[in-house]
Amino acid sequence: MEEVYHASSLGPDPDLSDVAASIGAIPAGPFIMDLDGRCYSGRAATSLVLCRDGLELRNGTIKLQNGDRIVVMPPPRASCSSRSSSSSSSSSSASRRSSSSSGGCVKLSNITITCEEGYSQPILSCEGGRLFMQDCQVISRASGEAPTVMASHSAWLHISSCKFTNSGTAPAVKVHGKGTELALHDCAFSECGGTCVEVSEGASAHLGSCVLNGSASSRGLHATGPGTRVVVRGCKVLDHLQQGILITKGARCELLRCHVSGSKKQAGILVKGHKSRLNMHDCFLHTCFAGCLVVDDGATAEAEGSHMCNSVSGPGMLVRGAGSHTTARGCEFGGNHGVGVEVVDGADVELVDDCVVVNNRKGNGGSGVAVLATGPCSKLLIGEGTAVLDGDVLAKDGSVLVRHDVLAHTVLAA
C-alpha cells in the first residue's frame, strides 16, 4: 500500500519548489503526493525532477513560468531525489543520470500542467525511465520550436484519457530516437498550432481511440526517419491545415479503422520517400483538399477495404514517381473532384479484389476519365472484379495498362 502525502501540509502558500523539496525528503519506496486540488507555480527557474521509482503525483495544477521545467528520468543506481535547482544544473545532472541508469516508473494522475505565454521549452521532458499519465490536461501557450511534451533517451511514455491544447507551432507530443516508445489511448488534441504527434528517428508509437483535431498550421501525425514505426487504431484525424498524416524518410505506419478528413491545403495522407510505407485497413478518407491518399517519391502503400472519397480538388488516390507502388484491395474511390485513381511519372498501381471506382467528377460529366495512367514506365493493373462504373480508363504517354476486369468502360490509349 502506497503512503499518501498531502502537499497542503507544506504550509499556507507552498509553491512548486516546496513540492519538489518535499518529494526529495520522503524515504525510498512507492508513495503518492496528493496536490489536494491546488495550483502550484514555479519560482526562480524551478526544476521538478521526477526520478523516484513508484512516485504518483495527483490531483492538482502545476503552472510553469519561463525557466521552470518538469523532467522525468531514470533513478540513479544509488539514490534519487526530486529537487529544485537551476535549469543549467538540472540539465547536466539529467544527462548523467540518463547515461548511468535505466528503469524507473512515475505516474501523473488528474494533473493539469500549463505555462505562461512565451514559454520556450518543453513543459514536460521524459529523458529515459517510464512515465504514465492518466486523466491529465496539458495546456501550452508556449512559443518557439520546443515540443510541449518530449520523450527521448529510450523513455517509455504511456498516456491515457488525457487532453492536449497547444497554441504554439511546435508538436504537442514528440517522441524521438531508437528505443523510445509512446502509447496514446483515448486522448484528445485540439487547438494545436503545430503537429499533434510527431514520431521520429527510430522511435515507435501506438495510438488507439484518439482524436487529433485541428492543427492551425501543420498536421495531425508525422512519422519520419528510418526505423520509426507507428500503429494507429480507431483514431480520428480531422481538419488540419496540411496533411492529416505525413509519413517520410523511411518511416512505416499502419492504420486500422481510422477516419481522416478535412485537410485544408494538402492530401489527407501523404507517404513520401524511399522505404516509407503505409499499410491501411478499413479506413475512411474523405473531404481532403489535394486528394485523399498520395504516395510519392518511391514510397509504398497497401490499402484494403478502405474508402477514399469526396476530395475537394484532387484524385481519390494519386501515386507518383519512379519506385512508388500501391496495391488497393477491395477499396472504393468515389465522389472525388478529380479522377478516382491517378498513376503518374513511373509509378505502379494495382486495383484488385473488387475495387470500385464510381461517381468521380472527371468521370461523370467531366472529362470522362475515371482512372488515369500517364508517363513512361507508369504501370496500372486492373484486376478481375474491379468495377470502373462512371468513366473510362485512360493509359497514355507511354504508360502500361494490364487489365482483367469486365465491369469498365472503353479503354482509351494515347
Side-chain angles (χ1 to χ4, degrees):
M1 189 81 178
E2 294 94 344
E3 193 77 25
V4 180
Y5 296 83
H6 292 273
S8 57
S9 65
L10 299 178
D13 189 25
D15 61 21
L16 189 60
S17 62
D18 297 317
V19 174
S22 176
I23 291 174
I26 294 171
F31 68 96
I32 297 170
M33 174 60 74
D34 197 319
L35 299 183
D36 300 312
R38 299 171 67 174
C39 179
Y40 297 84
S41 297
R43 182 183 299 170
T46 301
S47 287
L48 179 60
V49 180
L50 303 175
C51 56
R52 290 285 298 270
D53 194 7
L55 163 64
E56 178 180 350
L57 193 65
R58 71 184 188 189
N59 300 334
T61 298
I62 297 173
K63 184 176 181 180
L64 302 178
Q65 312 296 325
N66 213 0
D68 301 337
R69 60 199 299 253
I70 302 174
V71 182
V72 177
M73 62 180 64
R77 289 172 181 171
S79 61
C80 175
S81 62
S82 296
R83 59 191 176 86
S84 175
S85 64
S86 69
S87 295
S88 59
S89 63
S90 293
S91 297
S92 60
S93 64
S95 176
R96 291 194 299 270
R97 285 175 180 143
S98 297
S99 62
S100 64
S101 57
S102 61
C105 177
V106 173
K107 182 176 181 180
L108 304 180
S109 178
N110 193 30
I111 295 288
T112 296
I113 307 174
T114 186
C115 67
E116 64 179 5
E117 291 187 18
Y119 192 86
S120 59
Q121 58 191 6
I123 284 182
L124 177 60
S125 182
C126 194
E127 300 174 1
R130 294 177 293 161
L131 173 64
F132 290 79
M133 295 178 65
Q134 184 173 8
D135 298 318
C136 295
Q137 292 189 69
V138 181
I139 303 168
S140 173
R141 300 176 180 86
S143 59
E145 298 181 357
T148 302
V149 176
M150 176 74 176
S152 61
H153 297 82
S154 299
W156 196 90
L157 182 58
H158 187 287
I159 305 175
S160 65
S161 303
C162 293
K163 297 179 180 179
F164 295 84
T165 302
N166 172 32
S167 61
T169 57
V173 174
K174 180 176 180 178
V175 291
H176 177 84
K178 185 177 180 181
T180 305
E181 298 183 20
L182 168 69
L184 272 172
H185 298 284
D186 297 310
C187 292
F189 293 76
S190 62
E191 301 177 19
C192 290
T195 298
C196 295
V197 179
E198 182 175 315
V199 188
S200 65
E201 301 306 324
S204 63
H206 290 75
L207 283 66
S209 303
C210 295
V211 178
L212 282 59
N213 190 28
S215 171
S217 65
S218 195
R219 52 191 61 89
L221 169 66
H222 186 189
T224 183
T228 299
R229 302 289 183 268
V230 181
V231 178
V232 188
R233 300 174 185 266
C235 293
K236 295 181 179 179
V237 184
L238 311 173
D239 300 330
H240 298 279
L241 183 69
Q242 298 186 38
Q243 303 89 2
I245 298 174
L246 175 62
I247 305 163
T248 60
K249 297 182 180 179
R252 297 191 176 193
C253 186
E254 182 177 1
L255 305 181
L256 299 95
R257 302 181 302 280
C258 291
H259 182 125
V260 181
S261 68
S263 300
K264 296 178 175 63
K265 289 190 175 182
Q266 302 288 340
I269 300 176
L270 172 59
V271 192
K272 185 173 183 179
H274 179 59
K275 293 187 177 180
S276 298
R277 184 178 180 89
L278 168 68
N279 289 337
M280 182 170 68
H281 305 270
D282 300 320
C283 293
F284 187 29
L285 285 58
H286 73 96
T287 324
C288 301
F289 181 80
C292 296
L293 171 63
V294 176
V295 181
D296 196 8
D297 194 24
T300 302
E302 291 192 7
E304 182 174 352
S306 297
H307 298 261
M308 292 166 247
C309 303
N310 301 319
S311 72
V312 176
S313 69
M317 180 173 76
L318 170 64
V319 185
R320 178 173 54 204
S324 298
H325 174 80
T326 299
T327 300
R329 295 183 173 90
C331 295
E332 180 180 339
F333 308 87
N336 296 291
H337 183 274
V339 299
V341 177
E342 187 170 354
V343 190
V344 298
D345 297 336
D348 183 2
V349 168
E350 300 178 19
L351 305 178
V352 296
D353 297 345
D354 303 320
C355 287
V356 176
V357 184
V358 61
N359 199 32
N360 296 284
R361 186 166 299 180
K362 282 196 173 181
N364 189 1
S367 68
V369 178
V371 179
L372 173 64
T374 182
C377 301
S378 296
K379 293 176 63 177
L380 171 64
L381 183 148
I382 301 180
E384 186 174 352
T386 293
V388 182
L389 299 179
D390 68 337
D392 297 317
V393 178
L394 173 60
K396 66 177 186 177
D397 297 336
S399 59
V400 177
L401 172 66
V402 179
R403 186 164 188 182
H404 304 288
D405 63 310
V406 292
L407 296 175
H409 292 171
T410 306
V411 179
L412 303 177

